[in-house]
């Protein structure tokens, strides 16, 4: 779950130097912004590794607008919206393939910029299983299929009330697990959540799968299958891609 840091670009200052000027950066590598997709659905595009600009807009795919805002679970990222999904774009009452992990739809968590756990990651991009909680794990050249350590499913679980926690704020594992399920709801793999809330795996997953969060005997199962295991890509504090805040366990 690394986040690339942008280095300042300087033009060559030596008179008569034959070296070409360094390319100016226009965005922070790995930074994600919204972009427009067909059917009035919002997608996302990430800044290239060299900071020269943004890549192609990635539009969500999914099963259409079937999930309401008070759904039981969504521990992953794909499937929200879905211009090409079988049910069309996002439904007026829901997030079309995204369901709120928190059972209580009225729960909005703490204020923006809060940190429910009170502990933050301060080591930058130092490699660690606890690094950069809350940040997208599989973009900007980090943990992608071509990287040294690719992930197929990864994210951060936050405590109840931590739906608006900022990046690098530690989550909370509570001895829980994130479970990938196939189309028949059969378990494919089980990932133990770290005490700081991070979870990840490199085990191959099918093109579409579901995700379940199990914490202290309580389970929250997503309502629609997804095609992307980068959970923190959508589950931000800002309701990105129609996912309502951070991933949190179901309520007692």
């Amino acid at each position: 779950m690394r986040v690339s840091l942008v280095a300042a670009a300087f033009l060559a200052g030596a008179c008569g130097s034959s070296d070409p000027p360094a390319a100016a950066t226009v965005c922070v590598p790995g930074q994600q912004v919204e972009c427009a997709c067909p059917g009035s659905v919002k997608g996302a595009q990430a800044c290239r590794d060299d900071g020269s600009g943004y890549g192609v807009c990635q539009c969500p795919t999914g099963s259409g607008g079937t999930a309401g805002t008070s759904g039981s679970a969504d521990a992953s990222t794909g499937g929200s919206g879905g211009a090409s999904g079988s049910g069309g774009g996002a439904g007026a009452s829901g997030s079309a393939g995204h369901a709120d992990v928190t059972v209580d739809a009225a729960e909005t968590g703490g204020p923006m910029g809060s940190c429910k756990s009170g502990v933050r990651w301060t080591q930058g991009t130092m490699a660690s299983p606890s690094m950069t909680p809350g940040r997208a794990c599989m973009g900007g050249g980090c943990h992608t299929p071509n990287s040294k350590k690719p992930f197929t499913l990864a994210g951060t679980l936050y405590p109840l009330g931590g739906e608006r926690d900022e990046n690098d704020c530690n989550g909370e594992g509570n001895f829980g697990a994130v479970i990938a399920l196939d189309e028949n709801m059969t378990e494919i793999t089980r990932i133990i959540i770290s005490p700081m809330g991070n979870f990840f795996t490199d085990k191959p997953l099918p093109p579409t799968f579901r995700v379940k969060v199990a914490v202290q005997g309580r389970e929250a199962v997503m309502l629609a299958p997804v095609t992307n295991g980068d959970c923190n890509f959508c589950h931000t504090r800002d309701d990105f891609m129609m996912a309502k805040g951070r991933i949190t366990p179901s309520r007692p």
Side-chain angles (χ1 to χ4, degrees):
M1 268 178 260
R2 288 182 316 202
V3 175
S4 301
L5 300 178
V6 63
F10 294 94
L11 295 177
C15 180
S17 172
S18 60
D19 295 333
T25 56
V26 298
C27 55
V28 178
Q31 180 184 37
Q32 298 159 356
V33 297
E34 290 186 353
C35 53
C37 293
S40 299
V41 175
K42 292 183 178 180
Q45 54 189 158
C47 180
R48 300 188 185 95
D49 292 348
D50 59 2
S52 62
Y54 290 93
V56 177
C57 183
Q58 298 182 15
C59 295
T61 58
S63 57
T66 58
T69 57
S70 59
S72 60
D74 181 5
S76 188
T77 60
S80 65
S84 61
S86 60
S93 62
S95 58
H98 259 293
D100 187 11
V101 170
T102 306
V103 174
D104 184 359
E107 174 62 49
T108 58
M112 289 295 184
S114 61
C115 186
K116 183 73 173 179
S117 68
V119 181
R120 301 172 190 269
W121 171 261
T122 60
Q123 303 303 309
T125 57
M126 183 184 76
S128 167
S130 304
M131 69 184 298
T132 57
R135 296 184 184 271
C137 311
M138 298 155 58
C142 301
H143 303 300
T144 57
N146 295 324
S147 66
K148 292 181 179 179
K149 190 173 179 59
F151 290 161
T152 55
L153 178 63
T156 307
L157 179 73
Y158 282 86
L160 289 172
E163 291 84 353
R164 303 300 173 200
D165 280 3
E166 62 185 9
N167 286 341
D168 297 328
C169 173
N170 280 1
E172 185 175 79
N174 279 331
F175 305 101
V178 170
I179 304 163
L181 308 168
D182 65 16
E183 60 182 6
N184 298 316
M185 302 300 286
T186 301
E187 180 175 325
I188 303 172
T189 187
R190 178 180 295 256
I191 313 166
I192 302 301
I193 305 171
S194 76
M196 283 66 71
N198 285 347
F199 58 88
F200 51 87
T201 183
D202 60 359
K203 183 171 182 177
L205 296 174
T208 60
F209 56 95
R210 295 176 187 266
V211 178
K212 175 168 66 176
V213 175
V215 178
Q216 296 181 346
R218 305 189 307 274
E219 295 186 345
V221 184
M222 62 186 303
L223 298 183
V226 295
T227 59
N228 187 331
D230 194 2
C231 304
N232 288 345
F233 182 78
C234 289
H235 283 283
T236 69
R237 63 178 183 173
D238 303 313
D239 298 341
F240 189 57
M241 297 277 283
M242 295 174 287
K244 187 185 173 188
R246 303 294 190 182
I247 303 171
T248 58
S250 61
R251 294 185 170 280

